[in-house]
Amino acid sequence: MELNGDHGAYLHRLEGLRRKPLKAARRKERKLSREVGPVHLVFHEPDPELLETLIRWKSAQLRAKGIRRDLLSQEWFRAILRELFDLPSDSCSGVLSALYAGEELVAMRYELRSRQVLACWFPAYDTRFAWYSPGVVLSFKVAEAAADLGIVRIDLGKGAERHKQELKTADLTLTEGYVARRTPRAALWRAWTASDRTARAVVRSHPKVRRVAVKAAGAVERLR
C-alpha cells in the first residue's frame, strides 16, 4: 500500500484501479458505528493484555481452519512480541493497532515498524463482528494513521490472498536465499528445502490452489 505520507493520494490511486473494498469498507464502517458505536482506531496500544487477546483470537482462527501448529502458543515467541513494544529503535519496533466501536474492541493487528515502512504481521478480530468486515475497516484506518505519521508504505507480505490483491497499489520483488557450507549435510538440506520452497511458492501465487491447500492441511491436522 503506497502511502507516501498522503492517505488521500493512496485512496485516489485505489479508486483509479477500480477496486471494490473501499466503498464496501466505508459502508461497513458506517453500519458498525450506527449499530455498535463510533468507530475509532488506536494506532499503538502497547498493552500486554491486549496482545494476549489478539493471540487468543488468532489462535482460535487457526484452530477453526484446522491448523494446530500455532507459533503464537510458544512463550518464547510471545516474549519477543512484548519486547518489541519497548525496543528503542527507529529501524524496528512492534506496533499493536486496535479498532474500537464505542467501547467494544473489534479488531487488532500486530505490525513491525521502521522509519518509513509498516509491515503487517498478523491480524485478528472478534468473531461477533465478522459481518462488518472488521479486518478491511482496520486496514484503511491503519493506513490513514500511518500516513499521518509519515509512513511511506505498508507491506502486506507475500502471498496472493484476496484482501492483499484488493488493497495493494504496487508490487515489490523480493529475493530469498541462504548461506551454507560445502558439506554433504548442507547439500542434503539444500536439496530437501528447494523442492519445499518451490511448492510453497506455487501455492502462494495461486489463490484457488492456496485455499485448497489450507483445507487439505486442516484435514490432515484433524486426522492426527
Side-chain angles (χ1 to χ4, degrees):
M1 300 169 67
E2 295 175 302
L3 303 179
N4 297 319
D6 187 344
H7 181 248
Y10 161 72
L11 295 181
H12 181 71
R13 286 194 296 272
L14 201 64
E15 289 175 339
L17 294 171
R18 298 182 180 179
R19 301 277 172 78
K20 297 179 180 179
L22 180 57
K23 291 182 179 179
R26 287 171 172 168
R27 185 173 63 254
K28 295 286 189 178
E29 181 182 343
R30 290 193 296 269
K31 186 175 178 63
L32 182 60
S33 294
R34 289 195 307 269
E35 298 180 354
V36 182
V39 174
H40 66 282
L41 174 82
V42 178
F43 180 73
H44 182 39
E45 264 195 311
D47 185 338
E49 291 187 6
L50 282 182
L51 177 59
E52 289 301 318
T53 299
L54 173 59
I55 289 172
R56 286 199 303 273
W57 286 356
K58 192 64 179 181
S59 295
Q61 179 184 344
L62 295 175
R63 288 195 301 272
K65 292 181 178 179
I67 301 174
R68 298 181 182 179
R69 295 177 182 176
D70 181 9
L71 186 62
L72 295 171
S73 65
Q74 303 298 316
E75 175 55 35
W76 65 266
F77 186 72
R78 295 200 298 271
I80 290 175
L81 297 179
R82 291 192 294 268
E83 289 176 11
L84 284 169
F85 279 155
D86 303 319
L87 193 63
S89 171
D90 291 334
S91 60
C92 182
S93 60
V95 175
L96 179 61
S97 297
L99 183 72
Y100 293 87
E103 298 298 320
E104 293 281 358
L105 179 61
V106 175
M108 290 185 284
R109 73 184 198 187
Y110 195 101
E111 298 166 289
L112 295 178
R113 179 186 176 183
S114 66
R115 291 183 182 88
Q116 294 186 313
V117 177
L118 195 65
C120 182
W121 199 345
F122 58 93
Y125 58 85
D126 188 330
T127 54
R128 293 180 299 155
F129 305 104
W131 169 251
Y132 302 99
S133 302
V136 177
V137 175
L138 175 61
S139 293
F140 283 116
K141 287 293 186 183
V142 168
E144 182 176 4
D148 290 341
L149 292 171
I151 296 294
V152 173
R153 180 186 307 114
I154 295 180
D155 189 340
L156 299 172
K158 62 183 179 181
E161 291 89 339
R162 181 178 177 181
H163 73 279
K164 294 180 181 180
Q165 299 301 313
E166 292 182 335
L167 294 173
K168 72 177 184 179
T169 53
D171 292 294
L172 292 175
T173 300
L174 301 178
T175 300
E176 293 182 337
Y178 62 90
V179 177
R181 294 188 300 171
R182 290 188 175 183
T183 64
R185 184 176 181 180
L188 181 62
W189 180 86
R190 183 165 59 249
W192 179 72
T193 56
S195 59
D196 183 52
R197 286 196 304 273
T198 300
R200 281 183 292 169
V202 171
V203 169
R204 285 170 174 161
S205 63
H206 296 80
K208 291 184 179 179
V209 175
R210 184 179 184 279
R211 287 195 292 270
V212 173
V214 169
K215 290 181 180 179
V220 171
E221 289 291 343
R222 287 191 292 271
L223 286 174
R224 289 176 177 172

